[in-house]
Amino acid sequence: MQRTAVNPWDWSLTFGYNQAEIIEGPSRQLICAGQTAVDAEGNPQHPGDMRGQIGLALDNLDAVLAGAGMDVSHVVRLGVYATDVDEALKNFDLLGMRFGAAQCAPPMTLLGVARLAIPSLMFEIEATAMA
């Protein structure tokens, strides 16, 4: 898979994402459901703790990717939902650590939402990956 960043402006790079990417030669595509801070039984974890929820949601995304024989370097698109955008942004270094280590800056959208499916959850991340 060949990835070519498209950044008519470079401001988004300071936030860790490209404006767009051209993907050439993918053979498999994985569409991930939104991952949240739940344990293996689906029980919400880290109530009131945005950083804890982001960390566990990323761990759960890693697990889904691994189940498909992929990792974060294969992610080509992210959708992020947060009930408190400012609090989420304060903790986006967690995304930077995961994706930066893989030298991956997929295009991303961050949306503020009134609530998620389970009221105690504050953060959800969905991904599209290709290999």
Side-chain angles (χ1 to χ4, degrees):
M1 173 176 70
Q2 170 83 24
R3 298 170 76 135
T4 305
V6 178
N7 289 301
W9 321 276
D10 62 0
W11 62 263
S12 66
L13 297 176
T14 61
F15 293 98
Y17 69 93
N18 290 311
Q19 292 291 321
E21 287 186 341
I22 299 168
I23 308 296
E24 298 179 76
S27 59
R28 292 188 316 135
Q29 184 177 35
L30 176 69
I31 310 296
C32 300
Q35 299 301 305
T36 59
V38 296
D39 64 15
E41 287 77 41
N43 299 308
Q45 303 295 304
H46 309 292
D49 176 8
M50 181 68 79
R51 189 168 189 84
Q53 288 199 16
I54 291 173
L56 183 52
L58 289 170
D59 289 346
N60 289 340
L61 177 59
D62 284 342
V64 171
L65 292 166
M70 297 182 188
D71 59 39
V72 295
S73 71
H74 295 99
V75 173
V76 297
R77 176 85 171 90
L78 289 172
V80 178
Y81 307 90
T83 59
D84 183 337
V85 171
D86 292 331
E87 191 63 23
L89 287 171
K90 288 179 193 173
N91 293 285
F92 256 44
D93 63 305
L94 294 173
L95 277 81
M97 287 188 277
R98 302 273 180 122
F99 287 90
Q103 297 182 339
C104 182
M108 172 183 9
T109 298
L110 168 61
L111 294 173
V113 296
R115 64 163 274 195
L116 296 170
I118 300 172
S120 63
L121 294 176
M122 303 180 298
F123 183 87
E124 186 166 338
I125 186 168
E126 61 185 22
T128 300
M130 293 183 173

